[in-house]
Amino acid sequence: MKTKTVYVCSECGASFPKWMGKCTTCNSWNTIEEEVVRQPSASSKISVVSAPSSGSSPKKISEIDTTEEARSLTGMSELDRVLGGGLVKGSLVLVGGDPGIGKSTLLLQICEQLGKNQNILYVSGEESQRQIKLRADRLGITTENLRIYSETNMDYIVDCIFREKPDILIIDSVQTMFNPQIQSTPGNTAQIKDVTTVLMKIAKENSISVFVVGHVTKEGALAGPKILEHMVDCVLYFEGERHQSFRILRAVKNRFGSTNEIGVFEMKGNGLEEVPNPSMAMLSGRPENVPGSCIICTMEGTRPVLAEVQALVSPTSFGNPRRMASGPDISRTIMLMAVLEKRGGLKMSAFDAYVNIVGGLRIVEPAADLGLVLAVASSYSGLPIDSHMVAIGEVGLTGELRACSFLEARIAECEKLGFKRCIVPATDLKKLKSFKDIEIVPCSNITEVISKFCK
């Protein structure tokens, strides 16, 4: 059997005849790994699975059925929301997150509802059958249609799949599975790519819904080649701190629904519990009339979520002031500090600044800029912001407030939760309808906002 050695970039999948420190395709450093390519033997079960199915042929686009895919409810409305309305038959879903954040717990919990009328095969390469049974007892999983299989060899796993004929397959985790025909360790780029290809073939050709658990690197990205995320139908990320109770499940890719949709859970002694009103949970226990606190409203998919931004500004003891952010993007936070100094008249170069989103929520959209700016300015001046006020708007480099999307939905959520005042960009005022129980305060730039509320 002939073998060939190639060097593949784990970021972009580009291949090279020899090792290099930098990938010339994506310009990433130290991402090129050695792969041994072998032609699988005819007796390999995996090669049989990978063969094209009989009877498949191209169709005219007018002949393709576009009716809604059949979905199965998981018993968790938050997970169903993230998946786009439920689990699609024959889909391949990748679930990633930090160790101990609740990936395996979530997948085991949904087996109780899905197991009422479907057969489930749970394949674990990290835990024994007894360990999984102990966790299932703690979570109250009693369904008879759940089968546990502890194995890492894909030949045996494929045999088990065709023998058991499950409707739903759970692989925990993809980094522990290996193809014996490939001469590399489990978790290697070649192994992950091959295992995922096999699972994708099984899912599509046998209409089996497959959940795959993926580990993440210390930078927070999914371990393995980037092509792994391109191959699957859905990519779900578990966010949050291990030592905090809230967990956020975010869809960053979904072929069957909206992307950037989130589901909010709370980790308790009996497993993950849904949080149907995340805004209420995020704002519970917040202090009132304290400098450095401001409420923002961010859109997570189709759901408006209110969160509290806290800032602490203190005189620096170093030549260069410190900037730290937990929740907001650190680069954007530093940029807003510069805008505050140049356009807002705050001498931020003489102060350290620390920014935090309460509850472990990660904010990436620019509509949270105004709330962050107000929290920093409030801490700087020592004057508290009205606890019944919400700030919504993007801040430009010249200090102007820019329009943001879904503004009416955001304001309606603020009104529903009892807030009395909302700061919005003046450019959006003409497009807004009138609201009965909340006052709309239009502002044009951060100088106007700071002079009204922080001086």
Side-chain angles (χ1 to χ4, degrees), residues 9 25 101 133 158 172 212 380 408 433:
C9 174
T25 303
I101 203 165
K133 177 63 167 64
V158 170
D172 187 7
V212 177
Y380 181 93
E408 286 191 356
K433 67 177 185 180

Side-chain angles (χ1 to χ4, degrees), residues 74 106-116 120 122 141 143 146 170:
T74 63
L106 176 69
L107 294 180
L108 197 57
Q109 278 185 250
I110 65 176
C111 292
E112 181 67 21
Q113 173 67 23
L114 293 172
K116 290 181 178 179
I120 306 170
Y122 190 114
I141 308 301
T143 177
L146 172 61
I170 299 173

Side-chain angles (χ1 to χ4, degrees), residues 324-345:
M324 295 186 68
S326 176
D329 178 63
I330 182 62
S331 300
R332 192 163 188 88
T333 301
I334 294 172
M335 182 196 77
L336 292 174
M337 302 291 178
V339 174
L340 271 172
E341 174 145 6
K342 184 72 174 179
R343 310 296 180 187

Side-chain angles (χ1 to χ4, degrees), residues 119-356:
N119 293 320
I120 306 170
L121 177 61
Y122 190 114
V123 182
S124 176
E126 300 178 347
E127 296 178 285
S128 66
Q129 292 173 320
R130 185 174 182 276
Q131 287 175 313
I132 299 173
K133 177 63 167 64
L134 289 172
R135 184 149 47 89
D137 290 342
R138 178 172 59 85
L139 298 174
I141 308 301
T142 58
T143 177
E144 292 294 327
N145 290 329
L146 172 61
R147 288 170 173 77
I148 308 299
Y149 186 45
S150 292
E151 184 55 65
T152 57
N153 189 318
M154 282 302 294
D155 275 345
Y156 299 147
I157 293 171
V158 170
D159 264 348
C160 182
I161 292 171
F162 285 122
R163 187 171 62 250
E164 297 293 337
K165 295 181 172 59
D167 300 302
I168 297 170
L169 173 66
I170 299 173
I171 301 293
D172 187 7
S173 66
V174 69
Q175 277 83 9
T176 60
M177 307 300 164
F178 71 94
N179 179 356
Q181 303 296 324
I182 298 177
Q183 290 182 332
S184 59
T185 58
N188 185 274
T189 301
Q191 289 284 6
I192 293 176
K193 192 188 304 181
D194 186 85
V195 169
T196 307
T197 302
V198 172
L199 294 173
M200 183 175 65
K201 292 281 186 181
I202 290 174
K204 303 304 179 186
E205 295 175 4
N206 300 279
S207 296
I208 298 175
S209 301
V210 181
F211 283 100
V212 177
V213 175
H215 295 163
V216 296
T217 62
K218 61 182 180 181
E219 290 83 13
L222 278 166
K226 200 69 178 176
I227 194 174
L228 175 64
E229 297 181 47
H230 294 291
M231 293 169 67
V232 301
D233 297 312
C234 303
V235 180
L236 310 182
Y237 272 99
F238 245 129
E239 300 175 358
E241 301 293 335
R242 289 182 60 186
H243 306 294
Q244 291 184 344
S245 60
F246 289 115
R247 303 286 191 269
I248 297 168
L249 185 65
R250 185 186 303 274
V252 296
K253 174 188 176 181
N254 192 352
R255 289 177 178 156
F256 310 112
S258 171
T259 57
N260 281 325
E261 196 72 67
I262 69 164
V264 183
F265 302 87
E266 185 175 4
M267 180 63 80
K268 295 189 175 180
N270 59 347
L272 289 164
E273 187 174 299
E274 297 176 84
V275 180
N277 192 337
S279 299
M280 190 71 73
M282 295 289 180
L283 299 179
S284 62
R286 66 187 177 98
E288 295 188 2
N289 299 319
V290 176
S293 174
C294 185
I295 305 301
I296 61 172
C297 185
T298 179
M299 290 298 296
E300 299 292 350
T302 58
R303 169 192 283 178
V305 177
L306 272 69
E308 180 188 0
V309 182
Q310 290 185 341
L312 176 63
V313 177
S314 61
T316 183
S317 303
F318 307 97
N320 294 322
R322 298 192 68 183
R323 302 282 186 259
M324 295 186 68
S326 176
D329 178 63
I330 182 62
S331 300
R332 192 163 188 88
T333 301
I334 294 172
M335 182 196 77
L336 292 174
M337 302 291 178
V339 174
L340 271 172
E341 174 145 6
K342 184 72 174 179
R343 310 296 180 187
L346 278 61
K347 299 298 182 184
M348 297 301 301
S349 56
F351 292 86
D352 295 332
Y354 307 89
V355 181
N356 176 49

